[in-house]
Amino acid sequence: MHATFSPEELAFRDEVRVFLRDNFDEQLAARIHNPKTFKTATIEWQKKRYDKGWVAPGWPVEHGGCGWTDTQKYIFDSALAEVGAPDVPPFGLKMVGPVIYTFGNDEQKQRFLPGILTGDTWWCQGYSEPGAGSDLAGLQTRAERDGDDYIINGTKIWTTYAQYADWIFALVRTDNSGKPQQGISFLLIDMRTPGITVSPIIAIDGEHHLNEVSFDNVRVPVANRIGEENQGWTYAKALLSHERTALSGIAYCKQVLSKVRRFAAEENDDGSRLLDDPVFQARMADIEMELMALEYTELRVLATVAQGGAPGMESSLLKLKGTELQQAAQSLQFDVAGLYGSVLPTEHEVGHAFGDRSRREYMYGRACTIYGGSNEVQKNIIAKFGLGL
């Protein structure tokens, strides 16, 4: 790993910046952050990247990946952060997509991968259940074989953006004998199937991100099962390692710190800029130094994946430290927003959009150390597989 860019890499950085200049502006950003236009604007942004061939940096080239080096991935993520452009939704491209191209059959790859790449198919994740969140092996949603179909009964919860989803990838129990991790299968389920009910859960930020998804005698073709029956835990673990790597949120933290620096230069603290306050500078420097260290860890993990390896225990480290840094950055951002951060949105303009967004990100961000496997679970994984305890 080197610390300076080659002429070819500098040319790539210029190309990325031109692409972002021409394809991502404040209007698109505002529509992505508006709950009423979030889905259409997000798909629009994904299609712009797809048309350029830049939508799946982590995928193998034969399945639609970019073929980028680790340095190019770093350059691209940094450029996104510079302009505040979000990444694409993770459920298709970073979670079920890698499972399908790794463990799915040829028919499943041809059927599902194109829609994931273009953004025409919106996915959600059916893992957690009432009583089975961090203890995922305790899931009770049952799939009983009936000819060429499974009959699904049970409930999933904390299902992000299920209200938008065309498909859900779900873990279901197909056998109760043996250890809890055994007897689990991985199914792809059309959300339009009769018997599926999506009930909203309003989060602490007042927004509708989460849902409860109920299955009442839902018929799913056996052909929609990934891999072998009762081997879903193996595929789930592979997905979770990709999910936790994505949850490090390094690019997001960079975007937050960029905004913090900009607004701290404008906000006054007893007549001087907040950015010039030594205590504020120390808080920001602490986050930036830890973020830089985490970024190099992520680059090493991505290099391993590019060589055919799996994220492994390091994905837990990235999730653990990344979510702690996200909360630290959100707290700093909320402090900068000051009184504007406590103003609830109305039909009238009060304060500025930065304040409202800071409030929402701070409140919803309290959950990031819980979802994707709580940070306590990640510490256990690191202790067992990293430290041998």
Side-chain angles (χ1 to χ4, degrees):
M1 187 178 300
H2 52 81
T4 57
F5 295 138
S6 67
E8 293 77 14
E9 290 164 344
L10 289 172
F12 175 73
R13 185 182 65 181
D14 292 341
E15 183 182 4
V16 173
R17 287 175 170 171
V18 169
F19 169 77
L20 291 173
R21 183 199 63 196
D22 294 343
N23 291 277
F24 187 83
D25 56 25
E26 291 185 0
Q27 289 187 341
L28 179 57
R31 288 193 290 122
I32 290 175
H33 293 302
N34 185 337
K36 295 180 180 177
T37 52
F38 166 73
K39 181 179 180 181
T40 55
T42 298
I43 293 174
E44 179 183 330
W45 172 227
Q46 179 166 335
K47 284 187 177 297
K48 288 176 181 286
R49 286 181 53 176
Y50 172 76
D51 290 342
K52 181 66 175 175
W54 288 355
V55 76
W59 286 29
V61 173
E62 62 267 29
H63 295 306
C66 304
W68 287 347
T69 65
D70 299 325
T71 304
Q72 286 177 303
K73 294 174 185 174
Y74 171 81
I75 289 172
F76 186 75
D77 286 343
S78 297
L80 289 180
E82 286 176 2
V83 300
D87 205 349
V88 292
F91 305 103
L93 283 162
K94 295 187 176 180
M95 295 167 72
V96 74
V99 170
I100 292 174
Y101 68 64
T102 304
F103 302 105
N105 57 39
D106 289 340
E107 182 180 350
Q108 291 167 337
K109 294 173 188 176
Q110 293 172 8
R111 182 181 180 188
F112 293 110
L113 295 183
I116 293 174
L117 288 165
T118 61
D120 289 325
T121 307
W122 192 292
W123 289 82
C124 64
Q125 180 188 41
Y127 272 26
S128 295
E129 298 183 3
S134 295
D135 180 20
L136 191 58
L139 65 90
Q140 296 298 318
T141 295
R142 289 197 54 78
E144 297 179 329
R145 190 75 176 260
D146 182 28
D148 292 333
D149 295 335
Y150 288 110
I151 307 298
I152 314 298
N153 283 283
T155 302
K156 299 294 181 180
I157 198 168
W158 314 126
T159 312
T160 305
Y161 298 139
Q163 73 269 34
Y164 302 137
D166 304 296
W167 285 77
I168 182 172
F169 52 93
L171 293 179
V172 296
R173 186 159 296 286
T174 41
D175 190 351
N176 273 322
S177 62
K179 297 179 179 178
Q181 291 83 357
Q182 298 172 339
I184 293 174
S185 296
F186 193 110
L187 296 184
L188 310 178
I189 304 172
D190 189 335
M191 289 291 282
R192 297 165 298 183
T193 311
I196 297 179
T197 302
V198 177
S199 303
I201 299 174
I202 304 304
I204 191 173
D205 62 351
E207 302 295 339
H208 178 193
H209 314 276
L210 306 170
N211 301 273
E212 181 178 272
V213 181
S214 300
F215 300 86
D216 182 11
N217 291 315
V218 174
R219 188 171 287 272
V220 178
V222 173
N224 287 9
R225 188 190 68 221
I226 293 291
E228 299 180 30
E229 188 174 77
N230 299 329
Q231 297 301 312
W233 188 253
T234 299
Y235 317 133
K237 286 194 298 182
L239 185 150
L240 284 172
S241 64
H242 287 284
E243 178 189 9
R244 288 165 183 163
T245 301
L247 287 174
S248 63
I250 292 171
Y252 167 75
C253 278
K254 286 183 173 181
Q255 292 180 15
V256 172
L257 293 176
S258 176
K259 286 186 297 178
V260 165
R261 184 180 298 281
R262 178 157 54 93
F263 283 98
E266 299 175 0
E267 291 294 323
N268 288 323
D269 180 27
D270 292 332
S272 60
R273 299 192 313 166
L274 183 58
L275 189 61
D276 296 328
D277 180 81
V279 176
F280 180 86
Q281 291 176 340
R283 288 179 65 190
M284 190 155 183
D286 284 344
I287 298 173
E288 288 179 326
M289 285 188 292
E290 292 201 76
L291 188 61
M292 184 181 296
L294 190 67
E295 186 171 27
Y296 275 84
T297 301
E298 184 185 57
L299 287 172
R300 285 196 294 270
V301 172
L302 291 175
T304 301
V305 173
Q307 295 168 7
M313 179 277 300
E314 288 80 1
S315 64
S316 293
L317 194 154
L318 288 169
K319 196 274 178 180
L320 172 66
K321 194 62 185 176
T323 51
E324 289 178 351
L325 287 174
Q326 287 172 50
Q327 291 186 341
Q330 288 162 348
S331 296
L332 190 63
Q333 178 180 240
F334 200 29
D335 288 347
V336 174
L339 64 91
Y340 299 118
S342 63
V343 176
L344 294 174
T346 70
E347 66 273 22
H348 307 293
E349 291 189 6
V350 180
H352 44 57
F354 173 67
D356 177 51
R357 189 176 172 194
S358 298
R359 174 190 62 81
R360 288 191 287 153
E361 291 184 6
Y362 173 86
M363 299 179 81
Y364 190 67
R366 300 308 94 186
C368 71
T369 51
I370 301 173
Y371 59 62
S374 71
N375 282 15
E376 288 74 15
V377 170
Q378 306 316 310
K379 290 178 181 177
N380 285 341
I381 293 173
I382 294 168
K384 182 176 181 180
F385 297 102
L387 303 177
L389 300 176

